[in-house]
Amino acid sequence: MACYFKPLMEKLQNYIDGKLIAPKSNEYFDNYDPASGKVYSLIPDSSIEDVALATAAAKRAFPIWSKMSIQERSDIMLKIASLIEERSEELAAAESRDNGKPLKLASTVDIPRAQANFHFYGTGILHWASESHSMGDLALNYTLREPIGVAGCISPWNLPLYLFSWKIAPALATGNTVVAKPSEVTPYTAYLLSKICIDAGLPDGVLNIVHGTGPKAGAAIIEHDDIPMISFTGGTTTGEWIARAAAPKFKKLSLELGGKNPNIIFADCDFEEMMKTTLRSSFANQGQICLCGSRILVERSIYDRFRTEFVSRVKDLKVGHPSEQVNLGAVVSKPHMEKILSYIEIAKTEGGTVLCGGERVKVAGHEEGYYLAPTVIEGLDQSCRTNQEEIFGPVVTIAPFDSEEEALEMANSTKYGLASSVWTSDLKRAHRVAKDIHAGICWVNCWLLRDLRTPFGGVKSSGVGREGGFEAFDFFTEPKNVCIRY
Ligand code: NAD
């Protein structure tokens, strides 16, 4: 808490070849504090030249890092994990300030998860093995899984250090070196991570962090010939561009993209448990989690009860400065706030009724901050834009359904397929719906309950490939079949 209000107007630096350095051009752009709407630091506007430097450093470090023993790599990663834990207060304050999310959320979710990512993959690599296939008396095949080289890792702004480290950690654990770019909207904790890596003794060039915009620094990573694999999390439109740019170069791609997740509520659910969790799955992180359930589908027999109770509890949610005890802080940026408000207008023109919220909130003392009231809309068909396009803010729609078939049809009606939730006490139905829903994750009677060993990713326009567990190790390594005749 203490450092939250510390006045800052510092220039962030790139982390290249083990050093903190300015971008070649010496150009910077503004970093805003969404809670106040004011600029508080400057971000390097890195270009193709900075990415080239970072990639060359990563290439030089690859033979050293990839040949280090697994135990040595693990030790350094665990040192990074313990430094994240040691500096968690500073990191949480920085994340909250950069992103607008409640400090409590950053302290209990974002930063512990960043620590866990390094710990999980730093220890996971000690337990990883590859397969062998015996051909009886004839021959033995074994699979060599080798690191590939320089990995490009690009992440979004909603869970900044959480998602940044979720990519970097498995890439490093498997012996690759990395050129990474955090979102230009929330670069600060990635900058703090570079200092942690220096203090942890990570060899020079193993991890390089280049700050800057997507079209400039990000595209330079995608297009660099010495970066053969890209792990990207962000919007579906950006993912489409990346897939097109990377295809002619035959790069290995993992794309974690947008979502428009259904939250299906059957009448036989545990109503109180569902209600508490649905408030979180709708509005946690101001609704800016790719896994938030933005389309709430409710069995008609409990629809009225649900609507009354839900709207009343949403009205009680506290919106305010992220350093205070609030349910919702600020959304991440002014353009994003305007985008969300424009979708609320679209919902109205489509015939939706705004049951609560729908407008900007002025927080006393922080009038220029980007605060929005949690918004519930009803009366819309699933085919309209409000229900088909990702809004990625504190906005949900509610709609009734009459049967399991209809619920599934509504749930599966978008181009997305990232996450889903189902609330029911009928075990058979839970299994049926989980099987037939088009999504990479189906939570039954819960939400955001994550086991890091499980595969994570989406279907349809929500992405290609899986992160999580050993799936990430598979992505960051190339399998080679070695066949030995006896
Ligand atoms: P975005 O696509 O605008 O940006 C993501 C990252 O890509 C940023 O670092 C950005 O600088 C970079 N980028 C932008 N254009 C680029 C280009 N041409 N080449 C290379 N890099 C480029 O997304 P965002 O607005 O930062 O994040 C929100 C989106 O992320 C939402 O759609 C959300 O659903 C999605 N998301 C998905 C997951 C998931 O796991 N599937 C998790 C979190 C967020």
Side-chain angles (χ1 to χ4, degrees), residues 198-274:
I198 294 171
D199 294 346
L202 187 69
D204 293 352
V206 170
L207 170 63
N208 303 273
I209 300 177
V210 181
H211 294 277
T213 66
K216 213 162 141 183
I221 293 174
I222 304 300
E223 285 167 339
H224 200 297
D225 286 336
D226 290 335
I227 301 183
M229 64 198 131
I230 303 287
S231 172
F232 169 81
T233 300
T236 293
T237 311
T238 316
E240 272 174 42
W241 182 87
I242 290 174
R244 261 198 301 273
K249 295 179 190 274
F250 303 107
K251 296 194 180 205
K252 225 176 162 184
L253 274 189
S254 165
L255 300 173
E256 299 293 344
L257 310 176
K260 190 75 188 174
N261 310 310
N263 176 10
I264 308 176
I265 298 165
F266 287 97
D268 63 358
C269 69
D270 176 335
F271 192 85
E272 181 52 29
E273 189 60 33
M274 173 279 296

Side-chain angles (χ1 to χ4, degrees), residues 155-157 181 184 214 218 232-235 238 256-258 290 390 456:
S155 59
W157 49 255
K181 194 193 84 62
E184 62 273 41
F232 169 81
T233 300
T238 316
E256 299 293 344
L257 310 176
C290 53
E390 190 184 38
F456 178 88

Side-chain angles (χ1 to χ4, degrees), residues 168-180:
I168 290 169
L172 294 182
T174 40
N176 300 282
T177 54
V178 172
V179 175

Side-chain angles (χ1 to χ4, degrees), residues 418-484:
L418 188 55
S420 55
S421 293
V422 181
W423 291 91
T424 179
S425 26
D426 178 338
L427 187 60
K428 286 188 178 173
R429 173 155 61 199
H431 283 300
R432 274 196 308 269
V433 175
K435 186 171 79 59
D436 288 339
I437 207 153
H438 302 162
I441 299 182
C442 182
W443 278 295
V444 178
N445 298 331
C446 59
W447 178 73
L448 210 62
L449 194 52
R450 291 279 299 125
D451 180 328
L452 300 190
R453 295 168 301 176
T454 60
F456 178 88
V459 300
K460 302 194 287 188
S461 298
S462 289
V464 179
R466 290 292 178 273
E467 297 187 327
F470 290 161
E471 308 254 350
F473 287 165
D474 287 347
F475 174 75
F476 286 112
T477 53
E478 200 68 82
K480 183 189 286 169
N481 168 227
V482 179
C483 177
I484 303 170

Side-chain angles (χ1 to χ4, degrees), residues 24-226:
K24 278 278 193 194
S25 65
N26 214 20
E27 282 169 14
Y28 294 80
F29 54 92
D30 293 339
N31 189 22
Y32 286 83
D33 167 359
S36 67
K38 297 198 168 62
V39 177
Y40 80 102
S41 61
L42 298 169
I43 309 166
D45 188 8
S46 306
S47 67
I48 195 164
E49 285 182 291
D50 303 289
V51 170
L53 270 184
T55 309
K59 221 178 148 184
R60 279 195 303 278
F62 179 67
I64 302 161
W65 182 248
S66 58
K67 287 190 171 48
M68 233 182 216
S69 74
I70 289 174
Q71 186 66 56
E72 279 175 295
R73 285 205 302 263
S74 167
D75 288 347
I76 296 176
M77 292 187 64
L78 295 187
K79 178 78 186 155
I80 296 174
S82 72
L83 287 177
I84 293 177
E85 196 170 6
E86 230 170 75
R87 299 179 196 176
S88 57
E89 231 181 280
E90 181 195 5
L91 286 162
E95 201 71 292
S96 170
R97 181 172 204 176
D98 219 21
N99 175 279
K101 67 178 69 206
L103 180 57
K104 184 152 183 252
L105 190 69
S107 321
T108 54
V109 176
D110 292 76
I111 304 308
R113 175 58 189 275
Q115 184 275 343
N117 289 338
F118 276 100
H119 191 271
F120 176 80
Y121 283 115
T123 50
I125 196 65
L126 300 172
H127 305 277
W128 194 47
S130 60
E131 321 83 63
S132 77
H133 299 85
S134 168
M135 297 173 77
D137 288 341
L138 185 61
L140 172 71
N141 293 273
Y142 64 88
T143 307
L144 256 188
R145 285 205 164 262
E146 296 171 300
I148 301 172
V150 182
C153 298
I154 299 182
S155 59
W157 49 255
N158 62 323
L159 300 165
L161 194 60
Y162 173 134
L163 290 174
F164 196 56
S165 52
W166 179 234
K167 299 180 171 308
I168 290 169
L172 294 182
T174 40
N176 300 282
T177 54
V178 172
V179 175
K181 194 193 84 62
S183 168
E184 62 273 41
V185 187
T186 53
Y188 203 92
T189 47
Y191 172 57
L192 294 178
L193 178 68
S194 43
K195 295 183 178 184
I196 285 175
C197 290
I198 294 171
D199 294 346
L202 187 69
D204 293 352
V206 170
L207 170 63
N208 303 273
I209 300 177
V210 181
H211 294 277
T213 66
K216 213 162 141 183
I221 293 174
I222 304 300
E223 285 167 339
H224 200 297
D225 286 336
D226 290 335

